[in-house]
Amino acid sequence: QVQLVESGGGLVQAGGSLRLSCAASGRTFSAMGWFRQAPGNEREFVAAISWSGRSTYYADSVKGRFTISRDNAKNTVYLQMNSLKPEDTAVYYCALDFATRATIVGQIDYWGQGTQVTVSS
């Protein structure tokens, strides 16, 4: 069984930064990613990383601002978020995908509980 626990969310002013962490337990030889969901919106892809960490993928809306990384020795994935905008406000979910790249909602095998990120204008 896989469990994912997010942390690091909070309230930040526009232009500020946050670092989200996702601690994983169980089988973790897989791609992992981050998704987000704002009120009234569908859950959308944010960033993903391969098991090795050599391949990363980003939504166009966050390219150049967010960076995904992982430390397999700690079973932890991070999302560094810089230059935050009010439109980044959402619940951010950690995701694990055994088969593909963790970039498509319907292909995700495990989800975390989510952590709230609120960016004030």
Side-chain angles (χ1 to χ4, degrees):
Q1 185 177 359
V2 173
Q3 291 186 335
L4 306 173
V5 180
E6 302 96 335
S7 62
L11 175 64
V12 65
Q13 292 183 323
S17 298
L18 286 172
R19 189 182 74 161
L20 306 183
S21 298
C22 174
S25 62
R27 180 183 173 188
T28 56
F29 290 97
S30 65
M32 296 186 69
W34 291 93
F35 293 73
R36 67 188 182 188
Q37 188 166 20
N41 291 354
E42 297 181 350
R43 190 167 298 187
E44 65 177 359
F45 168 72
V46 176
I49 188 167
S50 64
W51 172 81
S52 69
R54 293 187 176 93
S55 298
T56 57
Y57 310 90
Y58 296 95
D60 288 342
S61 60
V62 306
K63 285 181 180 177
R65 300 189 298 120
F66 292 9
T67 302
I68 189 170
S69 62
R70 68 189 300 167
D71 184 344
N72 287 347
K74 297 181 178 179
N75 292 325
T76 301
V77 176
Y78 306 95
L79 185 68
Q80 179 67 45
M81 305 186 294
N82 298 327
S83 301
L84 283 162
K85 304 174 181 179
E87 50 263 47
D88 295 318
T89 295
V91 177
Y92 283 70
Y93 296 92
C94 183
L96 183 149
D97 185 346
F98 287 123
T100 53
R101 296 178 177 178
T103 60
I104 299 174
V105 170
Q107 295 178 342
I108 299 301
D109 295 300
Y110 291 94
W111 295 98
Q113 292 287 317
T115 185
Q116 177 71 47
V117 172
T118 302
V119 183
S120 62
S121 60

mmCIF file of all heavy atoms in Angstrom, residues 8-35:
data_model
loop_
_atom_site.group_PDB
_atom_site.id
_atom_site.type_symbol
_atom_site.label_atom_id
_atom_site.label_comp_id
_atom_site.label_asym_id
_atom_site.label_seq_id
_atom_site.Cartn_x
_atom_site.Cartn_y
_atom_site.Cartn_z
ATOM 1 N N GLY A 8 3.606 21.877 3.572
ATOM 2 C CA GLY A 8 4.257 23.075 3.086
ATOM 3 C C GLY A 8 3.339 24.137 2.526
ATOM 4 O O GLY A 8 3.803 25.227 2.175
ATOM 5 N N GLY A 9 2.059 23.854 2.424
ATOM 6 C CA GLY A 9 1.128 24.848 1.934
ATOM 7 C C GLY A 9 0.920 25.965 2.936
ATOM 8 O O GLY A 9 1.347 25.883 4.090
ATOM 9 N N GLY A 10 0.256 27.018 2.486
ATOM 10 C CA GLY A 10 -0.009 28.144 3.362
ATOM 11 C C GLY A 10 -0.443 29.360 2.585
ATOM 12 O O GLY A 10 -0.777 29.277 1.400
ATOM 13 N N LEU A 11 -0.435 30.495 3.263
ATOM 14 C CA LEU A 11 -0.820 31.772 2.684
ATOM 15 C C LEU A 11 0.429 32.580 2.372
ATOM 16 O O LEU A 11 1.307 32.737 3.230
ATOM 17 C CB LEU A 11 -1.714 32.538 3.652
ATOM 18 C CG LEU A 11 -2.124 33.949 3.260
ATOM 19 C CD1 LEU A 11 -2.979 33.929 1.994
ATOM 20 C CD2 LEU A 11 -2.864 34.613 4.408
ATOM 21 N N VAL A 12 0.508 33.098 1.153
ATOM 22 C CA VAL A 12 1.667 33.876 0.730
ATOM 23 C C VAL A 12 1.202 35.010 -0.167
ATOM 24 O O VAL A 12 0.184 34.897 -0.853
ATOM 25 C CB VAL A 12 2.687 32.970 0.003
ATOM 26 C CG1 VAL A 12 2.106 32.431 -1.298
ATOM 27 C CG2 VAL A 12 3.992 33.699 -0.242
ATOM 28 N N GLN A 13 1.932 36.109 -0.149
ATOM 29 C CA GLN A 13 1.623 37.234 -1.025
ATOM 30 C C GLN A 13 2.078 36.952 -2.449
ATOM 31 O O GLN A 13 3.009 36.177 -2.679
ATOM 32 C CB GLN A 13 2.299 38.508 -0.529
ATOM 33 C CG GLN A 13 1.751 39.047 0.779
ATOM 34 C CD GLN A 13 2.412 40.344 1.186
ATOM 35 O OE1 GLN A 13 3.607 40.535 0.990
ATOM 36 N NE2 GLN A 13 1.632 41.247 1.757
ATOM 37 N N ALA A 14 1.408 37.581 -3.405
ATOM 38 C CA ALA A 14 1.824 37.470 -4.797
ATOM 39 C C ALA A 14 3.302 37.838 -4.931
ATOM 40 O O ALA A 14 3.768 38.813 -4.344
ATOM 41 C CB ALA A 14 0.968 38.363 -5.680
ATOM 42 N N GLY A 15 4.018 37.035 -5.713
ATOM 43 C CA GLY A 15 5.449 37.229 -5.876
ATOM 44 C C GLY A 15 6.294 36.436 -4.910
ATOM 45 O O GLY A 15 7.514 36.336 -5.094
ATOM 46 N N GLY A 16 5.673 35.854 -3.905
ATOM 47 C CA GLY A 16 6.388 35.089 -2.913
ATOM 48 C C GLY A 16 6.631 33.658 -3.336
ATOM 49 O O GLY A 16 6.314 33.255 -4.450
ATOM 50 N N SER A 17 7.176 32.874 -2.408
ATOM 51 C CA SER A 17 7.561 31.499 -2.691
ATOM 52 C C SER A 17 7.081 30.554 -1.606
ATOM 53 O O SER A 17 6.929 30.935 -0.440
ATOM 54 C CB SER A 17 9.085 31.375 -2.799
ATOM 55 O OG SER A 17 9.604 32.150 -3.856
ATOM 56 N N LEU A 18 6.858 29.312 -1.996
ATOM 57 C CA LEU A 18 6.568 28.217 -1.084
ATOM 58 C C LEU A 18 7.246 26.968 -1.611
ATOM 59 O O LEU A 18 7.443 26.827 -2.820
ATOM 60 C CB LEU A 18 5.068 27.951 -0.966
ATOM 61 C CG LEU A 18 4.200 28.929 -0.181
ATOM 62 C CD1 LEU A 18 2.731 28.564 -0.365
ATOM 63 C CD2 LEU A 18 4.568 28.911 1.296
ATOM 64 N N ARG A 19 7.574 26.057 -0.714
ATOM 65 C CA ARG A 19 8.070 24.749 -1.107
ATOM 66 C C ARG A 19 7.163 23.678 -0.522
ATOM 67 O O ARG A 19 7.027 23.564 0.697
ATOM 68 C CB ARG A 19 9.507 24.505 -0.650
ATOM 69 C CG ARG A 19 10.090 23.219 -1.254
ATOM 70 C CD ARG A 19 11.489 22.918 -0.785
ATOM 71 N NE ARG A 19 11.521 22.435 0.594
ATOM 72 C CZ ARG A 19 12.536 21.779 1.135
ATOM 73 N NH1 ARG A 19 13.630 21.537 0.412
ATOM 74 N NH2 ARG A 19 12.481 21.390 2.393
ATOM 75 N N LEU A 20 6.553 22.905 -1.393
ATOM 76 C CA LEU A 20 5.721 21.795 -0.978
ATOM 77 C C LEU A 20 6.553 20.522 -0.911
ATOM 78 O O LEU A 20 7.467 20.319 -1.709
ATOM 79 C CB LEU A 20 4.561 21.585 -1.952
ATOM 80 C CG LEU A 20 3.665 22.786 -2.245
ATOM 81 C CD1 LEU A 20 2.524 22.369 -3.169
ATOM 82 C CD2 LEU A 20 3.134 23.400 -0.963
ATOM 83 N N SER A 21 6.213 19.668 0.037
ATOM 84 C CA SER A 21 6.866 18.377 0.169
ATOM 85 C C SER A 21 5.824 17.277 0.143
ATOM 86 O O SER A 21 4.700 17.457 0.620
ATOM 87 C CB SER A 21 7.649 18.291 1.483
ATOM 88 O OG SER A 21 8.682 19.246 1.536
ATOM 89 N N CYS A 22 6.198 16.141 -0.400
ATOM 90 C CA CYS A 22 5.343 14.962 -0.414
ATOM 91 C C CYS A 22 6.160 13.787 0.084
ATOM 92 O O CYS A 22 7.099 13.346 -0.592
ATOM 93 C CB CYS A 22 4.815 14.692 -1.820
ATOM 94 S SG CYS A 22 3.880 13.157 -1.974
ATOM 95 N N ALA A 23 5.817 13.290 1.255
ATOM 96 C CA ALA A 23 6.489 12.141 1.837
ATOM 97 C C ALA A 23 5.730 10.878 1.471
ATOM 98 O O ALA A 23 4.528 10.785 1.708
ATOM 99 C CB ALA A 23 6.580 12.295 3.350
ATOM 100 N N ALA A 24 6.431 9.912 0.896
ATOM 101 C CA ALA A 24 5.812 8.689 0.419
ATOM 102 C C ALA A 24 6.244 7.493 1.254
ATOM 103 O O ALA A 24 7.389 7.410 1.700
ATOM 104 C CB ALA A 24 6.171 8.443 -1.043
ATOM 105 N N SER A 25 5.323 6.572 1.442
ATOM 106 C CA SER A 25 5.634 5.296 2.072
ATOM 107 C C SER A 25 5.158 4.172 1.170
ATOM 108 O O SER A 25 4.240 4.350 0.365
ATOM 109 C CB SER A 25 4.986 5.189 3.452
ATOM 110 O OG SER A 25 3.570 5.249 3.357
ATOM 111 N N GLY A 26 5.779 3.012 1.296
ATOM 112 C CA GLY A 26 5.447 1.898 0.430
ATOM 113 C C GLY A 26 6.284 1.919 -0.845
ATOM 114 O O GLY A 26 7.354 2.513 -0.892
ATOM 115 N N ARG A 27 5.767 1.289 -1.884
ATOM 116 C CA ARG A 27 6.471 1.206 -3.161
ATOM 117 C C ARG A 27 6.558 2.573 -3.807
ATOM 118 O O ARG A 27 5.526 3.224 -4.029
ATOM 119 C CB ARG A 27 5.748 0.231 -4.086
ATOM 120 C CG ARG A 27 6.396 0.067 -5.445
ATOM 121 C CD ARG A 27 5.585 -0.860 -6.309
ATOM 122 N NE ARG A 27 6.090 -0.918 -7.668
ATOM 123 C CZ ARG A 27 5.486 -1.536 -8.666
ATOM 124 N NH1 ARG A 27 4.337 -2.168 -8.448
ATOM 125 N NH2 ARG A 27 6.023 -1.529 -9.872
ATOM 126 N N THR A 28 7.782 3.013 -4.120
ATOM 127 C CA THR A 28 7.977 4.350 -4.664
ATOM 128 C C THR A 28 8.810 4.376 -5.934
ATOM 129 O O THR A 28 9.230 5.441 -6.368
ATOM 130 C CB THR A 28 8.627 5.273 -3.616
ATOM 131 O OG1 THR A 28 9.854 4.705 -3.166
ATOM 132 C CG2 THR A 28 7.687 5.479 -2.435
ATOM 133 N N PHE A 29 9.052 3.226 -6.560
ATOM 134 C CA PHE A 29 9.768 3.186 -7.826
ATOM 135 C C PHE A 29 8.792 3.538 -8.948
ATOM 136 O O PHE A 29 8.296 2.677 -9.674
ATOM 137 C CB PHE A 29 10.402 1.822 -8.061
ATOM 138 C CG PHE A 29 11.556 1.526 -7.148
ATOM 139 C CD1 PHE A 29 11.386 0.781 -5.998
ATOM 140 C CD2 PHE A 29 12.820 2.001 -7.458
ATOM 141 C CE1 PHE A 29 12.450 0.518 -5.158
ATOM 142 C CE2 PHE A 29 13.903 1.739 -6.627
ATOM 143 C CZ PHE A 29 13.707 0.993 -5.471
ATOM 144 N N SER A 30 8.533 4.815 -9.074
ATOM 145 C CA SER A 30 7.523 5.275 -10.007
ATOM 146 C C SER A 30 7.711 6.747 -10.292
ATOM 147 O O SER A 30 8.403 7.460 -9.567
ATOM 148 C CB SER A 30 6.124 5.050 -9.419
ATOM 149 O OG SER A 30 5.964 5.855 -8.261
ATOM 150 N N ALA A 31 7.060 7.199 -11.372
ATOM 151 C CA ALA A 31 6.974 8.626 -11.609
ATOM 152 C C ALA A 31 6.045 9.256 -10.571
ATOM 153 O O ALA A 31 5.093 8.623 -10.106
ATOM 154 C CB ALA A 31 6.445 8.894 -13.016
ATOM 155 N N MET A 32 6.312 10.487 -10.217
ATOM 156 C CA MET A 32 5.461 11.205 -9.280
ATOM 157 C C MET A 32 5.217 12.607 -9.803
ATOM 158 O O MET A 32 5.997 13.132 -10.605
ATOM 159 C CB MET A 32 6.075 11.234 -7.890
ATOM 160 C CG MET A 32 6.206 9.856 -7.278
ATOM 161 S SD MET A 32 6.778 9.863 -5.564
ATOM 162 C CE MET A 32 5.348 10.584 -4.742
ATOM 163 N N GLY A 33 4.138 13.195 -9.339
ATOM 164 C CA GLY A 33 3.802 14.515 -9.830
ATOM 165 C C GLY A 33 2.970 15.311 -8.861
ATOM 166 O O GLY A 33 2.625 14.852 -7.765
ATOM 167 N N TRP A 34 2.688 16.522 -9.284
ATOM 168 C CA TRP A 34 1.818 17.427 -8.554
ATOM 169 C C TRP A 34 0.678 17.879 -9.448
ATOM 170 O O TRP A 34 0.892 18.211 -10.622
ATOM 171 C CB TRP A 34 2.586 18.659 -8.062
ATOM 172 C CG TRP A 34 3.581 18.372 -6.992
ATOM 173 C CD1 TRP A 34 4.903 18.090 -7.146
ATOM 174 C CD2 TRP A 34 3.331 18.345 -5.580
ATOM 175 N NE1 TRP A 34 5.497 17.891 -5.919
ATOM 176 C CE2 TRP A 34 4.547 18.043 -4.942
ATOM 177 C CE3 TRP A 34 2.191 18.553 -4.799
ATOM 178 C CZ2 TRP A 34 4.663 17.942 -3.556
ATOM 179 C CZ3 TRP A 34 2.307 18.446 -3.421
ATOM 180 C CH2 TRP A 34 3.530 18.144 -2.823
ATOM 181 N N PHE A 35 -0.519 17.905 -8.883
ATOM 182 C CA PHE A 35 -1.705 18.434 -9.529
ATOM 183 C C PHE A 35 -2.331 19.461 -8.598
ATOM 184 O O PHE A 35 -2.011 19.514 -7.415
ATOM 185 C CB PHE A 35 -2.710 17.315 -9.827
ATOM 186 C CG PHE A 35 -2.241 16.333 -10.862
ATOM 187 C CD1 PHE A 35 -1.251 15.405 -10.568
ATOM 188 C CD2 PHE A 35 -2.794 16.319 -12.134
ATOM 189 C CE1 PHE A 35 -0.812 14.495 -11.512
ATOM 190 C CE2 PHE A 35 -2.368 15.412 -13.092
ATOM 191 C CZ PHE A 35 -1.381 14.504 -12.778
#
